[in-house]
Amino acid sequence: MSTDTRPAVLFVCVHNAGRSQMAAAYLTRLSAGGIEVRSAGSEPADQVNPAAVEAMLEEGIDIRRETPTILTTEAVKDADVVITMGCGDTCPIFPGKRYEDWELEDPAGKGVDAVRPIRDDIKRRVEALIAELLPTGN
């Protein structure tokens, strides 16, 4: 059991290569360490989506070294908030956890021009999440 008192957020999508990686990177950057951030996928890809990498580099955030990770029951148990992004019924449900499903277009197979609006939507949602979880601004 961790003694960390920060809220913990887990982002989950199928491949953990686009949406969840962008969301985790934004939350890490914008919360300035005030929130514990993780991401995972039900069927992780071999690498992060290159178009997502390029779109995030435009924002000054480098996710090139991130690695898609398999979703585990432990990761869900350790999270206070679980945000799913199109992973369907593969995410385990535990009582007392806050779950949100963010309906976002899947950036898989799309170029950076198509990924930018998805990225921008994710940023807006992450900013709203931070306002809820850290209402005093850290």
Side-chain angles (χ1 to χ4, degrees):
M1 193 51 115
S2 173
T3 58
D4 194 340
T5 59
R6 298 177 299 164
V9 175
L10 172 65
F11 293 103
V12 181
C13 67
V14 176
H15 300 295
N16 189 221
R19 295 167 290 186
S20 56
Q21 291 285 353
M22 290 188 287
Y26 269 131
L27 187 56
T28 298
R29 168 73 58 89
L30 298 175
S31 73
I35 297 172
E36 185 181 337
V37 183
R38 296 189 187 111
S39 70
S42 54
E43 298 173 26
D46 295 332
Q47 66 180 21
V48 175
N49 179 331
V53 169
E54 186 177 343
M56 292 304 286
L57 282 171
E58 293 174 355
E59 293 282 289
I61 299 173
D62 188 351
I63 60 172
R64 287 179 286 199
R65 289 190 175 90
E66 299 301 325
T67 304
T69 305
I70 188 75
L71 175 65
T72 65
T73 301
E74 198 63 33
V76 177
K77 282 183 182 177
D78 289 345
D80 298 305
V81 180
V82 179
I83 297 175
T84 58
M85 303 171 171
C87 67
D89 297 328
T90 61
C91 189
I93 305 293
F94 293 99
K97 300 275 178 214
R98 174 178 163 186
Y99 291 88
E100 288 185 27
D101 184 45
W102 289 1
E103 291 188 28
L104 297 160
E105 188 176 346
D106 188 348
K110 294 179 173 44
V112 71
D113 289 339
V115 173
R116 284 185 191 110
I118 301 166
R119 174 202 65 196
D120 295 344
D121 189 4
I122 289 170
K123 184 177 183 180
R124 282 188 294 275
R125 291 170 188 248
V126 165
E127 288 169 337
L129 182 65
I130 292 168
E132 292 174 32
L133 296 178
L134 302 175
T136 58
N138 296 6

